[in-house]
Amino acid sequence: MGERKVLNKYYPPDFDPAKLPKLKVPKDRQYVVRLMAPFTMRCLTCGNYVYKGKKFNARKETALGEVYLGIQIYRFYIRCPKCLQEITFKTDPENTDYSVENGAYRTFQAERLAEMEEERLKEEAEEEEANNPMLALENRTAESRREMDVLDALEEIRDWNARNAQGEATVTHYMELAGNAQGEATACDTLHGVSRERSR
């Protein structure tokens, strides 16, 4: 029964792997992949909603001639579960998202609208600062004041850590001097006296 479970193959002595024919794969070859809908969309033909997370057996291909900063863009083909209309969408690495090509439209996307509004407000603030030198001066002054506050807080934290380290060293010094249980109680009393003197 052991001969049925052969793990290695027989290669004849005159075997030459260079003579094996090369498999020619076209560049626009489509692969079947299992994916989930990356966003909620609505079919243009029947009006059926395809919700985010619905699983599909999709066809995937590379979008020829479409590259963003060296990142290849892929196109996916799925079918509407109700009317079997083909829906295509592509990867969008510029916005770290997906974009619908045809067959459906994307439903309301509050997060993307909020991001766009935030970008617009930021651009308006930068433009206003560029046009108004007094506003630019006020912003620089506020930024330098904020930096000074941060540096002061950092210095205070360092002083606090140095004091704590010195207190721990004092405790270990008194514990070494004491050596026994009665000495430990005396060391604690002495330490409390030292901390009271420091607090005054």
Side-chain angles (χ1 to χ4, degrees):
M1 295 279 293
E3 66 275 2
R4 290 191 307 108
K5 301 179 182 178
V6 177
L7 299 176
N8 51 2
K9 308 283 189 218
Y10 172 73
Y11 294 104
D14 59 344
F15 175 73
D16 186 10
K19 291 181 181 175
L20 290 174
K22 299 284 184 198
L23 183 64
K24 305 239 175 178
V25 180
K27 289 190 175 182
D28 58 347
R29 180 181 175 190
Q30 292 185 346
Y31 298 91
V32 176
V33 293
R34 183 82 168 161
L35 61 77
M36 297 195 327
F39 47 80
T40 302
M41 57 190 123
R42 190 170 186 191
C43 179
L44 290 174
T45 306
C46 64
N48 183 41
Y49 285 95
V50 178
Y51 294 103
K52 178 179 179 177
K54 176 139 180 74
K55 292 186 178 179
F56 291 97
N57 291 326
R59 288 178 294 131
K60 171 187 137 185
E61 70 177 11
T62 55
L64 295 176
E66 296 185 43
V67 176
Y68 174 74
L69 299 177
I71 300 170
Q72 187 65 51
I73 294 175
Y74 296 99
R75 182 178 289 115
F76 299 95
Y77 298 90
I78 61 173
R79 291 199 174 274
C80 173
K82 189 173 179 184
C83 67
L84 299 179
Q85 167 68 29
E86 191 169 66
I87 299 169
T88 63
F89 57 91
K90 294 191 302 186
T91 55
D92 185 12
E94 184 177 1
N95 300 315
T96 62
D97 202 3
Y98 293 85
S99 60
V100 179
E101 275 193 316
N102 57 26
Y105 66 91
R106 198 166 177 170
T107 56
F108 182 71
Q109 33 187 149
E111 292 177 6
R112 181 70 185 137
L113 291 174
E115 288 174 6
M116 289 170 60
E117 183 67 20
E118 189 176 323
E119 288 174 8
R120 187 184 63 78
L121 291 174
K122 188 176 180 183
E123 287 174 4
E124 284 180 3
E126 288 175 358
E127 185 179 333
E128 185 179 350
E129 187 175 317
N131 294 338
N132 190 350
M134 285 303 291
L135 184 63
L137 180 64
E138 287 174 8
N139 289 344
R140 279 200 302 266
T141 307
E143 185 66 32
S144 64
R145 187 177 300 126
R146 195 176 309 116
E147 286 179 7
M148 292 295 287
D149 292 342
V150 168
L151 288 173
D152 290 344
L154 185 63
E155 190 65 33
E156 188 176 331
I157 290 170
R158 285 183 179 155
D159 290 344
W160 184 260
N161 288 342
R163 265 189 263 137
N164 284 346
Q166 186 180 5
E168 289 173 6
T170 309
V171 168
T172 54
H173 176 68
Y174 282 125
M175 291 296 276
E176 288 171 1
L177 291 177
N180 59 13
Q182 185 179 3
E184 288 177 12
T186 310
C188 288
D189 292 340
T190 312
L191 181 62
H192 285 301
V194 169
S195 63
R196 275 193 225 110
E197 288 174 12
R198 279 192 188 156
S199 61
R200 290 179 197 165

